[in-house]
Coordinates of all heavy atoms in Angstrom, one line a residue:
M1 N -6.1 23.3 4.7 CA -5.8 21.9 4.9 C -6.9 21.3 5.8 O -7.3 21.9 6.8 CB -4.4 21.9 5.6 CG -3.9 20.5 5.6 SD -2.2 20.3 6.3 CE -1.3 21.7 5.8
D2 N -7.4 20.1 5.5 CA -8.4 19.5 6.3 C -7.8 19.0 7.6 O -6.6 18.9 7.8 CB -9.2 18.5 5.6 CG -8.3 17.2 5.2 OD1 -7.2 17.1 5.8 OD2 -8.7 16.4 4.4
S3 N -8.7 18.7 8.5 CA -8.3 18.3 9.9 C -7.4 17.1 9.9 O -6.4 17.1 10.7 CB -9.6 18.0 10.7 OG -9.3 17.5 12.0
L4 N -7.7 16.1 9.1 CA -6.8 14.9 9.1 C -5.4 15.2 8.6 O -4.5 14.7 9.2 CB -7.5 13.8 8.2 CG -6.8 12.4 8.2 CD1 -6.6 11.9 9.6 CD2 -7.5 11.5 7.3
K5 N -5.3 16.0 7.6 CA -4.0 16.4 7.1 C -3.2 17.2 8.1 O -2.0 17.0 8.3 CB -4.1 17.1 5.8 CG -4.4 16.3 4.6 CD -4.4 17.1 3.3 CE -4.8 16.2 2.1 NZ -4.8 16.9 0.9
Q6 N -4.0 18.1 8.8 CA -3.3 18.8 9.9 C -2.8 17.9 11.0 O -1.7 18.2 11.5 CB -4.3 19.8 10.5 CG -4.6 21.0 9.6 CD -5.7 21.9 10.1 OE1 -6.6 21.5 10.8 NE2 -5.6 23.2 9.8
Q7 N -3.6 16.9 11.4 CA -3.1 16.0 12.4 C -1.9 15.3 12.0 O -0.9 15.1 12.7 CB -4.2 15.0 12.7 CG -5.4 15.6 13.4 CD -6.5 14.6 13.6 OE1 -6.3 13.4 13.8 NE2 -7.8 15.0 13.7
I8 N -1.8 14.8 10.7 CA -0.7 14.1 10.2 C 0.6 15.0 10.2 O 1.6 14.6 10.6 CB -1.0 13.6 8.8 CG1 -2.0 12.5 8.8 CG2 0.3 13.1 8.1 CD1 -2.6 12.0 7.5
V9 N 0.4 16.3 9.7 CA 1.5 17.2 9.7 C 2.0 17.5 11.1 O 3.2 17.5 11.4 CB 1.1 18.5 9.0 CG1 2.2 19.6 9.2 CG2 0.9 18.3 7.5
Q10 N 1.1 17.6 12.1 CA 1.5 17.8 13.5 C 2.3 16.6 14.0 O 3.3 16.8 14.7 CB 0.3 18.1 14.4 CG -0.3 19.4 14.1 CD -1.7 19.6 14.9 OE1 -2.2 18.6 15.4 NE2 -2.2 20.8 14.9
K11 N 1.9 15.4 13.7 CA 2.6 14.2 14.1 C 4.0 14.2 13.5 O 5.0 13.8 14.1 CB 1.8 13.0 13.8 CG 0.5 12.8 14.5 CD 0.7 12.3 15.9 CE -0.7 12.1 16.5 NZ -0.6 11.7 17.9
L12 N 4.1 14.5 12.2 CA 5.3 14.5 11.5 C 6.3 15.5 12.1 O 7.5 15.2 12.1 CB 5.1 14.8 10.0 CG 4.5 13.7 9.2 CD1 4.2 14.2 7.8 CD2 5.3 12.4 9.2
E13 N 5.9 16.6 12.6 CA 6.7 17.6 13.1 C 7.4 17.1 14.4 O 8.4 17.6 14.8 CB 6.0 18.9 13.4 CG 5.6 19.6 12.1 CD 4.7 20.8 12.3 OE1 4.2 21.0 13.4 OE2 4.5 21.5 11.3
C14 N 6.8 16.1 15.1 CA 7.3 15.6 16.3 C 8.1 14.3 16.2 O 8.8 13.9 17.1 CB 6.1 15.2 17.3 SG 5.1 16.7 17.7
I15 N 8.2 13.8 15.0 CA 8.9 12.5 14.7 C 10.4 12.8 14.6 O 10.8 13.8 13.9 CB 8.4 11.8 13.5 CG1 6.9 11.3 13.7 CG2 9.3 10.7 13.1 CD1 6.3 10.7 12.5
P16 N 11.2 12.0 15.2 CA 12.7 12.2 15.1 C 13.1 12.1 13.6 O 12.5 11.3 12.8 CB 13.3 11.0 15.9 CG 12.2 10.5 16.7 CD 10.9 10.9 16.1
E17 N 14.1 12.8 13.3 CA 14.6 12.9 11.9 C 14.9 11.5 11.3 O 14.5 11.2 10.1 CB 15.9 13.7 11.8 CG 16.4 14.0 10.4 CD 15.5 15.0 9.7 OE1 14.8 15.8 10.3 OE2 15.4 14.9 8.4
E18 N 15.5 10.6 12.1 CA 15.8 9.3 11.5 C 14.6 8.4 11.3 O 14.6 7.5 10.5 CB 16.8 8.5 12.5 CG 16.3 8.4 13.9 CD 16.6 9.6 14.8 OE1 17.3 10.5 14.3 OE2 16.2 9.5 16.0
A19 N 13.5 8.7 11.9 CA 12.2 8.0 11.6 C 11.5 8.5 10.4 O 10.6 7.8 9.9 CB 11.3 8.0 12.8
L20 N 11.8 9.7 9.9 CA 11.1 10.2 8.8 C 11.3 9.4 7.5 O 10.4 9.3 6.7 CB 11.5 11.7 8.6 CG 11.0 12.7 9.6 CD1 11.6 14.1 9.3 CD2 9.5 12.7 9.6
Q21 N 12.4 8.8 7.3 CA 12.6 7.9 6.2 C 11.7 6.7 6.2 O 11.2 6.4 5.1 CB 14.1 7.4 6.1 CG 14.4 6.6 4.9 CD 14.2 7.4 3.6 OE1 14.7 8.5 3.4 NE2 13.5 6.8 2.6
Q22 N 11.4 6.2 7.3 CA 10.5 5.1 7.4 C 9.1 5.6 7.0 O 8.3 4.9 6.4 CB 10.4 4.5 8.8 CG 11.7 3.8 9.2 CD 11.7 3.3 10.6 OE1 11.1 3.9 11.5 NE2 12.4 2.2 10.8
V23 N 8.7 6.8 7.5 CA 7.4 7.3 7.1 C 7.3 7.5 5.6 O 6.3 7.2 5.0 CB 7.2 8.7 7.9 CG1 5.9 9.3 7.4 CG2 7.1 8.4 9.4
L24 N 8.4 8.1 5.0 CA 8.4 8.3 3.6 C 8.3 6.9 2.8 O 7.5 6.8 1.8 CB 9.7 9.0 3.2 CG 9.8 9.4 1.7 CD1 8.7 10.3 1.2 CD2 11.1 10.0 1.4
D25 N 9.0 5.9 3.3 CA 8.9 4.6 2.7 C 7.5 4.0 2.7 O 7.0 3.5 1.8 CB 9.9 3.6 3.3 CG 11.3 3.9 3.0 OD1 11.6 4.7 2.1 OD2 12.2 3.4 3.7
F26 N 6.9 4.2 3.9 CA 5.5 3.7 4.1 C 4.5 4.5 3.1 O 3.6 3.8 2.5 CB 5.0 3.8 5.5 CG 3.7 3.3 5.8 CD1 3.4 1.9 5.6 CD2 2.6 4.1 6.1 CE1 2.2 1.4 5.8 CE2 1.3 3.6 6.3 CZ 1.1 2.2 6.2
V27 N 4.7 5.8 3.0 CA 3.8 6.5 2.1 C 4.0 6.1 0.7 O 3.1 5.9 -0.1 CB 4.1 8.1 2.3 CG1 3.4 8.8 1.2 CG2 3.6 8.5 3.6
A28 N 5.3 5.8 0.3 CA 5.6 5.3 -1.1 C 4.9 3.9 -1.2 O 4.4 3.7 -2.3 CB 7.1 5.2 -1.3
F29 N 4.9 3.1 -0.2 CA 4.2 1.8 -0.3 C 2.7 2.0 -0.5 O 2.1 1.3 -1.3 CB 4.5 1.0 1.0 CG 3.6 -0.2 1.1 CD1 3.7 -1.3 0.3 CD2 2.5 -0.1 2.0 CE1 2.8 -2.4 0.4 CE2 1.6 -1.2 2.2 CZ 1.8 -2.3 1.3
L30 N 2.1 2.9 0.3 CA 0.7 3.2 0.1 C 0.4 3.6 -1.3 O -0.7 3.2 -1.9 CB 0.2 4.2 1.2 CG 0.2 3.7 2.6 CD1 -0.1 4.9 3.5 CD2 -0.7 2.5 2.8
E31 N 1.2 4.5 -1.8 CA 1.0 5.0 -3.2 C 1.1 3.8 -4.2 O 0.2 3.6 -5.1 CB 2.0 6.0 -3.6 CG 1.8 7.3 -2.9 CD 3.0 8.3 -3.2 OE1 4.1 7.9 -3.5 OE2 2.7 9.5 -3.2
W32 N 2.1 3.0 -4.0 CA 2.3 1.8 -4.9 C 1.1 0.8 -4.8 O 0.6 0.4 -5.8 CB 3.6 1.1 -4.5 CG 3.8 -0.2 -5.3 CD1 4.4 -0.4 -6.5 CD2 3.4 -1.5 -4.8 NE1 4.3 -1.7 -6.9 CE2 3.8 -2.4 -5.9 CE3 2.8 -2.0 -3.7 CZ2 3.5 -3.8 -5.8 CZ3 2.5 -3.4 -3.6 CH2 2.9 -4.2 -4.7
R33 N 0.7 0.6 -3.6 CA -0.5 -0.3 -3.3 C -1.7 0.2 -4.0 O -2.5 -0.5 -4.6 CB -0.7 -0.5 -1.9 CG -1.8 -1.6 -1.6 CD -2.0 -1.9 -0.1 NE -2.7 -0.7 0.5 CZ -3.1 -0.7 1.7 NH1 -2.9 -1.7 2.5 NH2 -3.8 0.3 2.2
G34 N -1.9 1.5 -3.9 CA -3.1 2.2 -4.5 C -3.0 2.0 -6.0 O -4.1 1.8 -6.7
E35 N -1.9 2.2 -6.6 CA -1.7 2.1 -8.1 C -1.9 0.7 -8.5 O -2.3 0.4 -9.7 CB -0.3 2.6 -8.5 CG -0.2 4.1 -8.3 CD 1.3 4.6 -8.4 OE1 2.1 3.7 -8.6 OE2 1.5 5.8 -8.2
N36 N -1.5 -0.3 -7.7 CA -1.5 -1.7 -8.1 C -2.6 -2.5 -7.5 O -2.7 -3.7 -7.6 CB -0.2 -2.3 -7.8 CG 0.9 -1.7 -8.6 OD1 1.1 -2.0 -9.7 ND2 1.7 -0.8 -7.9
H37 N -3.6 -1.8 -6.8 CA -4.7 -2.5 -6.1 C -5.4 -3.5 -6.9 O -5.5 -4.6 -6.6 CB -5.6 -1.4 -5.5 CG -6.8 -2.0 -4.8 ND1 -6.7 -2.5 -3.6 CD2 -8.1 -2.0 -5.2 CE1 -7.9 -2.9 -3.2 NE2 -8.8 -2.6 -4.2
K38 N -6.0 -3.0 -8.0 CA -6.8 -3.9 -8.9 C -5.9 -5.1 -9.4 O -6.4 -6.2 -9.5 CB -7.4 -3.1 -10.0 CG -8.5 -2.2 -9.5 CD -9.1 -1.4 -10.6 CE -10.2 -0.5 -10.1 NZ -10.8 0.3 -11.1
Q39 N -4.7 -4.8 -9.8 CA -3.9 -5.8 -10.4 C -3.6 -6.9 -9.3 O -3.6 -8.1 -9.6 CB -2.6 -5.2 -10.9 CG -1.6 -6.2 -11.5 CD -0.4 -5.6 -12.0 OE1 -0.1 -4.4 -11.8 NE2 0.5 -6.3 -12.7
L40 N -3.3 -6.4 -8.1 CA -3.0 -7.4 -7.0 C -4.2 -8.3 -6.7 O -4.1 -9.5 -6.4 CB -2.6 -6.6 -5.7 CG -1.3 -6.0 -5.8 CD1 -1.1 -5.1 -4.6 CD2 -0.2 -7.0 -5.8
L41 N -5.4 -7.7 -6.7 CA -6.6 -8.5 -6.4 C -7.0 -9.4 -7.6 O -7.7 -10.4 -7.3 CB -7.8 -7.5 -6.1 CG -7.7 -6.8 -4.8 CD1 -8.9 -5.8 -4.7 CD2 -7.6 -7.7 -3.7
S42 N -6.6 -9.1 -8.8 CA -7.0 -10.0 -9.9 C -5.9 -11.0 -10.2 O -6.0 -11.7 -11.2 CB -7.2 -9.1 -11.1 OG -5.9 -8.5 -11.5
V43 N -5.0 -11.2 -9.3 CA -4.0 -12.2 -9.5 C -4.6 -13.6 -9.6 O -5.3 -14.0 -8.6 CB -2.9 -12.2 -8.4 CG1 -2.0 -13.4 -8.5 CG2 -2.1 -10.9 -8.5
K44 N -4.5 -14.3 -10.7 CA -5.0 -15.6 -10.8 C -3.8 -16.5 -11.2 O -3.2 -16.4 -12.3 CB -6.0 -15.7 -11.9 CG -7.2 -14.9 -11.7 CD -8.0 -15.4 -10.5 CE -9.2 -14.5 -10.2 NZ -9.8 -14.6 -8.9
S45 N -3.3 -17.3 -10.3 CA -2.1 -18.1 -10.5 C -2.3 -19.5 -9.8 O -3.0 -19.6 -8.9 CB -0.9 -17.4 -10.0 OG 0.2 -18.2 -10.0
E46 N -1.5 -20.4 -10.3 CA -1.5 -21.7 -9.7 C -0.7 -21.6 -8.3 O -0.9 -22.4 -7.4 CB -0.8 -22.7 -10.6 CG -1.6 -23.1 -11.8 CD -0.8 -24.0 -12.7 OE1 0.2 -24.5 -12.3 OE2 -1.3 -24.2 -13.8
D47 N 0.1 -20.6 -8.2 CA 0.9 -20.4 -7.0 C 0.0 -19.7 -6.0 O -0.3 -18.5 -6.1 CB 2.1 -19.6 -7.3 CG 3.0 -19.4 -6.1 OD1 2.7 -19.9 -5.0 OD2 4.1 -18.8 -6.3
S48 N -0.5 -20.4 -5.0 CA -1.4 -19.8 -4.0 C -0.7 -18.7 -3.2 O -1.4 -17.9 -2.6 CB -2.0 -20.9 -3.1 OG -1.0 -21.5 -2.3
R49 N 0.6 -18.7 -3.1 CA 1.3 -17.6 -2.4 C 1.0 -16.2 -2.9 O 0.8 -15.3 -2.2 CB 2.8 -17.9 -2.4 CG 3.2 -19.1 -1.5 CD 4.7 -19.2 -1.5 NE 5.1 -19.5 -2.9 CZ 6.4 -19.5 -3.3 NH1 7.3 -19.3 -2.4 NH2 6.7 -19.8 -4.5
Q50 N 0.8 -16.1 -4.2 CA 0.5 -14.8 -4.8 C -0.9 -14.4 -4.3 O -1.1 -13.2 -4.0 CB 0.5 -14.9 -6.3 CG 2.0 -14.9 -6.8 CD 2.0 -14.9 -8.3 OE1 1.0 -15.1 -9.0 NE2 3.2 -14.7 -8.9
E51 N -1.9 -15.3 -4.3 CA -3.2 -15.0 -3.8 C -3.2 -14.6 -2.3 O -3.8 -13.7 -1.9 CB -4.1 -16.2 -4.0 CG -4.4 -16.4 -5.5 CD -5.3 -17.6 -5.7 OE1 -5.9 -18.1 -4.8 OE2 -5.3 -18.1 -6.9
D52 N -2.4 -15.3 -1.5 CA -2.2 -15.0 -0.1 C -1.6 -13.6 0.0 O -2.0 -12.9 0.9 CB -1.3 -16.0 0.6 CG -2.0 -17.4 0.7 OD1 -3.2 -17.5 0.5 OD2 -1.2 -18.4 1.0
D53 N -0.6 -13.3 -0.8 CA 0.0 -11.9 -0.7 C -1.1 -10.9 -1.0 O -1.1 -9.9 -0.3 CB 1.1 -11.8 -1.8 CG 2.3 -12.7 -1.4 OD1 2.4 -13.2 -0.3 OD2 3.2 -12.8 -2.3
A54 N -1.9 -11.1 -2.0 CA -2.9 -10.1 -2.3 C -3.9 -9.9 -1.2 O -4.3 -8.8 -0.8 CB -3.6 -10.5 -3.6
Q55 N -4.3 -11.0 -0.6 CA -5.2 -11.0 0.6 C -4.5 -10.3 1.7 O -5.2 -9.5 2.4 CB -5.6 -12.4 1.0 CG -6.6 -13.0 0.0 CD -6.9 -14.5 0.4 OE1 -6.4 -15.0 1.4 NE2 -7.6 -15.1 -0.5
W56 N -3.3 -10.5 2.0 CA -2.6 -9.9 3.1 C -2.5 -8.4 2.9 O -2.6 -7.6 3.8 CB -1.2 -10.5 3.2 CG -0.4 -9.9 4.4 CD1 -0.5 -10.4 5.7 CD2 0.5 -8.8 4.4 NE1 0.3 -9.6 6.5 CE2 0.9 -8.6 5.7 CE3 0.9 -7.9 3.4 CZ2 1.8 -7.6 6.1 CZ3 1.8 -6.9 3.8 CH2 2.2 -6.8 5.1
L57 N -2.2 -8.0 1.6 CA -2.2 -6.5 1.4 C -3.5 -5.8 1.6 O -3.5 -4.6 1.9 CB -1.7 -6.3 -0.1 CG -0.3 -6.6 -0.4 CD1 0.0 -6.5 -1.9 CD2 0.6 -5.6 0.4
E58 N -4.6 -6.6 1.6 CA -5.9 -6.0 1.9 C -6.3 -6.1 3.3 O -7.4 -5.6 3.7 CB -7.0 -6.6 1.0 CG -6.8 -6.3 -0.5 CD -6.8 -4.8 -0.7 OE1 -7.7 -4.1 -0.2 OE2 -5.9 -4.3 -1.4
T59 N -5.5 -6.7 4.1 CA -5.8 -6.9 5.5 C -5.7 -5.6 6.3 O -4.8 -4.8 6.1 CB -4.9 -8.0 6.1 OG1 -5.0 -9.2 5.4 CG2 -5.2 -8.2 7.6
D60 N -6.6 -5.4 7.3 CA -6.5 -4.2 8.1 C -5.5 -4.5 9.2 O -5.7 -5.3 10.1 CB -7.9 -3.9 8.8 CG -7.9 -2.8 9.7 OD1 -6.9 -2.0 9.7 OD2 -8.8 -2.6 10.5
L61 N -4.4 -3.9 9.2 CA -3.3 -4.1 10.1 C -3.2 -3.0 11.1 O -2.2 -2.9 11.8 CB -1.9 -4.2 9.3 CG -1.9 -5.3 8.3 CD1 -0.6 -5.3 7.6 CD2 -2.1 -6.7 8.9
S62 N -4.2 -2.1 11.2 CA -4.2 -1.0 12.1 C -4.1 -1.3 13.6 O -3.7 -0.5 14.4 CB -5.4 -0.1 11.8 OG -6.6 -0.8 12.1
N63 N -4.4 -2.5 14.0 CA -4.4 -2.9 15.4 C -3.2 -3.7 15.8 O -3.2 -4.3 16.9 CB -5.7 -3.6 15.8 CG -5.8 -5.0 15.1 OD1 -5.1 -5.2 14.1 ND2 -6.6 -5.8 15.6
L64 N -2.2 -3.8 14.9 CA -1.0 -4.6 15.3 C -0.3 -4.1 16.5 O 0.3 -4.9 17.3 CB 0.0 -4.6 14.1 CG -0.4 -5.5 12.9 CD1 0.6 -5.5 11.9 CD2 -0.6 -7.0 13.4
D65 N -0.4 -2.8 16.8 CA 0.3 -2.3 18.0 C -0.3 -2.7 19.3 O 0.2 -2.6 20.3 CB 0.5 -0.8 17.9 CG -0.9 -0.1 17.8 OD1 -1.9 -0.8 17.6 OD2 -0.9 1.1 18.1
S66 N -1.5 -3.4 19.2 CA -2.2 -3.8 20.4 C -1.7 -5.2 20.9 O -2.0 -5.7 22.0 CB -3.7 -3.9 20.2 OG -4.0 -4.9 19.2
Y67 N -0.8 -5.9 20.1 CA -0.3 -7.2 20.4 C 1.1 -7.0 21.1 O 1.8 -6.1 20.7 CB -0.1 -8.0 19.2 CG -1.5 -8.4 18.5 CD1 -2.0 -7.7 17.4 CD2 -2.2 -9.4 19.1 CE1 -3.2 -8.0 16.9 CE2 -3.4 -9.8 18.5 CZ -3.9 -9.1 17.4 OH -5.1 -9.4 16.8
D68 N 1.4 -7.9 21.9 CA 2.8 -8.0 22.5 C 3.8 -8.5 21.5 O 3.4 -9.3 20.6 CB 2.8 -8.9 23.7 CG 2.0 -8.4 24.9 OD1 1.9 -7.2 25.0 OD2 1.5 -9.2 25.7
A69 N 5.0 -7.9 21.5 CA 6.0 -8.4 20.6 C 6.3 -9.8 20.9 O 6.4 -10.3 22.0 CB 7.3 -7.5 20.8
Y70 N 6.6 -10.6 19.8 CA 6.9 -12.0 20.0 C 8.4 -12.1 20.3 O 9.2 -11.4 19.7 CB 6.6 -12.8 18.7 CG 6.9 -14.2 18.8 CD1 6.0 -15.1 19.4 CD2 8.1 -14.8 18.3 CE1 6.2 -16.4 19.6 CE2 8.3 -16.2 18.5 CZ 7.4 -17.0 19.1 OH 7.6 -18.3 19.2
D71 N 8.7 -12.9 21.2 CA 10.1 -13.1 21.7 C 10.7 -14.4 21.0 O 10.4 -15.5 21.4 CB 10.2 -13.3 23.2 CG 11.6 -13.3 23.7 OD1 12.5 -12.9 23.0 OD2 11.8 -13.8 24.8
W72 N 11.4 -14.2 19.9 CA 12.0 -15.3 19.1 C 13.0 -16.0 20.0 O 13.8 -15.3 20.6 CB 12.6 -14.8 17.8 CG 11.6 -14.3 16.9 CD1 11.3 -13.0 16.6 CD2 10.8 -15.0 16.0 NE1 10.3 -12.9 15.7 CE2 10.0 -14.1 15.2 CE3 10.7 -16.4 15.7 CZ2 9.1 -14.5 14.3 CZ3 9.8 -16.8 14.7 CH2 9.0 -15.9 14.0
Q73 N 13.0 -17.3 19.9 CA 14.0 -18.1 20.7 C 15.1 -18.5 19.8 O 15.0 -18.5 18.6 CB 13.3 -19.4 21.2 CG 12.1 -19.1 22.1 CD 12.5 -18.3 23.4 OE1 13.5 -18.6 24.0 NE2 11.8 -17.2 23.7
P74 N 16.3 -18.7 20.3 CA 17.5 -19.1 19.5 C 17.1 -20.3 18.6 O 16.5 -21.3 19.1 CB 18.5 -19.5 20.5 CG 18.1 -18.7 21.8 CD 16.6 -18.7 21.8
G75 N 17.5 -20.2 17.3 CA 17.2 -21.3 16.4 C 15.8 -21.3 15.9 O 15.5 -22.2 15.0
E76 N 14.9 -20.5 16.3 CA 13.5 -20.5 15.9 C 13.3 -19.8 14.6 O 12.4 -20.1 13.8 CB 12.7 -19.9 17.0 CG 11.2 -20.1 16.8 CD 10.4 -19.6 17.9 OE1 10.9 -18.9 18.8 OE2 9.2 -19.9 18.0
L77 N 14.1 -18.8 14.3 CA 14.0 -18.0 13.2 C 15.1 -18.3 12.2 O 16.2 -18.0 12.4 CB 14.0 -16.5 13.5 CG 13.7 -15.5 12.4 CD1 12.3 -15.7 11.8 CD2 13.9 -14.1 13.0
N78 N 14.7 -18.8 11.0 CA 15.7 -19.1 10.0 C 16.1 -17.9 9.3 O 15.3 -17.0 9.1 CB 15.2 -20.2 9.0 CG 15.0 -21.5 9.7 OD1 15.7 -21.9 10.6 ND2 14.0 -22.3 9.2
E79 N 17.3 -17.9 8.8 CA 17.8 -16.7 8.0 C 17.2 -16.8 6.6 O 17.2 -17.8 6.0 CB 19.3 -16.7 7.9 CG 19.8 -15.5 7.3 CD 21.3 -15.4 7.4 OE1 21.9 -15.9 8.3 OE2 22.0 -14.9 6.4
G80 N 16.7 -15.6 6.1 CA 16.1 -15.6 4.8 C 17.0 -14.9 3.8 O 18.2 -14.7 4.1
L81 N 16.5 -14.6 2.7 CA 17.3 -13.9 1.6 C 17.3 -12.4 1.9 O 16.4 -11.8 2.4 CB 16.6 -14.1 0.3 CG 16.6 -15.6 -0.2 CD1 15.8 -15.7 -1.5 CD2 18.0 -16.1 -0.4
P82 N 18.5 -11.8 1.6 CA 18.6 -10.3 1.9 C 17.7 -9.6 0.9 O 17.6 -9.9 -0.3 CB 20.0 -10.0 1.7 CG 20.5 -11.1 0.8 CD 19.7 -12.3 1.1
V83 N 17.0 -8.5 1.4 CA 16.1 -7.7 0.6 C 16.4 -6.3 0.8 O 17.1 -5.9 1.7 CB 14.6 -8.0 0.9 CG1 14.2 -9.4 0.6 CG2 14.3 -7.6 2.3
K84 N 16.0 -5.5 -0.2 CA 16.2 -4.0 -0.1 C 15.0 -3.4 -0.8 O 14.4 -3.9 -1.7 CB 17.4 -3.6 -0.9 CG 17.8 -2.1 -0.8 CD 19.1 -1.8 -1.3 CE 19.4 -0.3 -1.0 NZ 20.7 0.1 -1.3
Y85 N 14.5 -2.2 -0.2 CA 13.4 -1.5 -0.7 C 13.9 -0.4 -1.6 O 14.8 0.4 -1.3 CB 12.6 -0.9 0.5 CG 11.5 0.0 0.0 CD1 10.3 -0.5 -0.6 CD2 11.6 1.4 -0.1 CE1 9.3 0.3 -1.0 CE2 10.6 2.2 -0.5 CZ 9.5 1.7 -1.0 OH 8.5 2.5 -1.5
Y86 N 13.3 -0.3 -2.8 CA 13.6 0.7 -3.8 C 12.3 1.5 -4.0 O 11.3 0.9 -4.5 CB 14.1 0.2 -5.1 CG 15.4 -0.5 -5.0 CD1 15.6 -1.9 -4.9 CD2 16.6 0.3 -5.0 CE1 16.8 -2.5 -4.7 CE2 17.8 -0.3 -4.9 CZ 17.9 -1.7 -4.8 OH 19.2 -2.3 -4.7
P87 N 12.3 2.8 -3.7 CA 11.1 3.6 -3.9 C 10.6 3.5 -5.4 O 11.5 3.6 -6.3 CB 11.5 5.0 -3.5 CG 12.6 4.9 -2.6 CD 13.4 3.6 -3.0
G88 N 9.4 3.4 -5.6 CA 8.8 3.3 -6.9 C 8.9 1.9 -7.5 O 8.3 1.5 -8.5
K89 N 9.8 1.0 -6.9 CA 9.9 -0.3 -7.4 C 9.4 -1.4 -6.4 O 8.8 -2.4 -6.7 CB 11.4 -0.6 -7.7 CG 11.6 -1.9 -8.4 CD 13.1 -2.1 -8.9 CE 13.3 -3.4 -9.6 NZ 14.6 -3.5 -10.1
G90 N 9.7 -1.1 -5.1 CA 9.3 -2.0 -4.1 C 10.4 -2.8 -3.4 O 11.6 -2.4 -3.6
V91 N 10.1 -3.9 -2.8 CA 11.1 -4.7 -2.1 C 11.6 -5.8 -3.1 O 10.8 -6.4 -3.8 CB 10.5 -5.4 -0.9 CG1 11.5 -6.3 -0.2 CG2 10.0 -4.4 0.1
V92 N 12.9 -5.8 -3.2 CA 13.5 -6.8 -4.2 C 14.6 -7.6 -3.4 O 15.2 -7.2 -2.4 CB 14.2 -6.1 -5.4 CG1 13.2 -5.4 -6.2 CG2 15.3 -5.2 -5.0
I93 N 14.8 -8.8 -3.9 CA 15.8 -9.7 -3.3 C 17.2 -9.2 -3.8 O 17.4 -9.0 -5.0 CB 15.6 -11.2 -3.6 CG1 14.3 -11.6 -3.0 CG2 16.8 -12.0 -3.2 CD1 13.9 -13.0 -3.4
V94 N 18.1 -9.0 -2.9 CA 19.5 -8.6 -3.2 C 20.3 -9.7 -3.7 O 20.4 -10.8 -3.1 CB 20.2 -7.9 -2.0 CG1 21.6 -7.5 -2.3 CG2 19.4 -6.8 -1.4
E95 N 20.8 -9.6 -4.9 CA 21.6 -10.6 -5.5 C 23.0 -10.6 -4.9 O 23.6 -9.5 -4.7 CB 21.8 -10.4 -7.0 CG 20.5 -10.5 -7.8 CD 19.9 -11.9 -7.8 OE1 20.6 -12.9 -7.7 OE2 18.6 -12.0 -7.8
E96 N 23.5 -11.7 -4.5 CA 24.8 -11.7 -3.8 C 25.9 -11.9 -4.8 O 25.8 -12.4 -5.9 CB 24.9 -12.8 -2.8 CG 23.9 -12.6 -1.7 CD 24.1 -13.6 -0.5 OE1 25.2 -13.8 -0.1 OE2 23.1 -14.2 -0.2

């Protein structure tokens, strides 16, 4: 096993059991993104949100932990639609 994989395995051994599902979900997302990378970048649509989504997926987010958490104020955050993550499928809006 190479050094990077060994480091990942060592970190996984220290993660609490309840956090392992989040790690698995993230790995599934990385696999999905890798499989759909070219398709996401080639999105040509009148809806600019799709283009923004593709750009966001390509953004380097590795330094997000260097920012302070934002403190949402009452009434500042509107409620959105309920979503659920399905491995192999992605995030979908839950029908009520």
